[in-house]
Amino acid sequence: MITIYHNTRCKKSREGLEIVKESGKDYRIREYLKVPLTEEELSALIEKMNISPIQLVRKNEKLWKENYKEKDLSDKELISVMVKHPKLIERPVVENDRKAVIGRPASDIKEVL
């Protein structure tokens, strides 16, 4: 089963959803702004992506720049910040049972389809 962590207001996320739909595979949509991830879920997702938490942060968000950019946060603290403020999570994220990717560029989504 494919899962796309989706923000309906984001053009890149909508493009990613189209790629998932066109694949013909079973998928589910998780609107992570409406149904936020837990720290455990986000940690597992980051592990599947094989990245550090800072790589999943939307660093151009005003919230990040004004409140967190200058802080030296641990990985655990970064995960807590993203759970508290899910709009700071890059989008879309697409995962299968073994792997997850950030869909930027959208062609990266094909790695998990």
Side-chain angles (χ1 to χ4, degrees):
M1 172 69 73
I2 304 294
T3 301
I4 180 167
Y5 297 86
H6 180 56
N7 177 348
T8 58
R9 297 182 65 204
C10 173
K11 181 180 177 188
K12 294 289 184 189
S13 195
R14 291 191 305 270
E15 288 173 8
L17 179 57
E18 284 305 310
I19 290 170
V20 171
K21 284 179 178 179
E22 289 170 6
S23 76
K25 300 197 178 197
D26 289 337
Y27 68 93
R28 69 183 182 107
I29 299 169
R30 177 146 176 199
E31 291 187 41
Y32 65 93
L33 296 177
K34 293 180 182 175
V35 183
L37 285 85
T38 65
E39 287 188 18
E40 294 78 20
E41 289 173 320
L42 187 56
S43 294
L45 199 56
I46 289 167
E47 191 173 313
K48 271 188 173 181
M49 286 189 267
N50 198 28
I51 62 173
S52 63
I54 192 66
Q55 291 175 278
L56 190 57
V57 173
R58 293 177 54 83
K59 295 169 200 74
N60 287 326
E61 284 287 336
K62 182 179 178 182
L63 176 67
W64 175 260
K65 289 178 181 179
E66 291 179 356
N67 297 289
Y68 301 103
K69 182 179 178 183
E70 300 302 322
K71 295 183 180 179
D72 185 22
L73 301 173
S74 69
D75 286 353
K76 186 171 176 47
E77 289 169 325
L78 284 166
I79 289 169
S80 293
V81 166
M82 286 186 278
V83 167
K84 184 177 178 183
H85 305 287
K87 72 186 275 182
L88 292 177
I89 299 172
E90 276 290 359
R91 57 194 179 244
V93 173
V94 180
E95 79 171 320
N96 63 25
D97 295 334
R98 300 173 317 283
K99 186 175 181 174
V101 296
I102 300 170
R104 288 176 176 262
S107 60
D108 286 355
I109 293 170
K110 293 176 182 173
E111 290 180 39
V112 296
L113 296 177

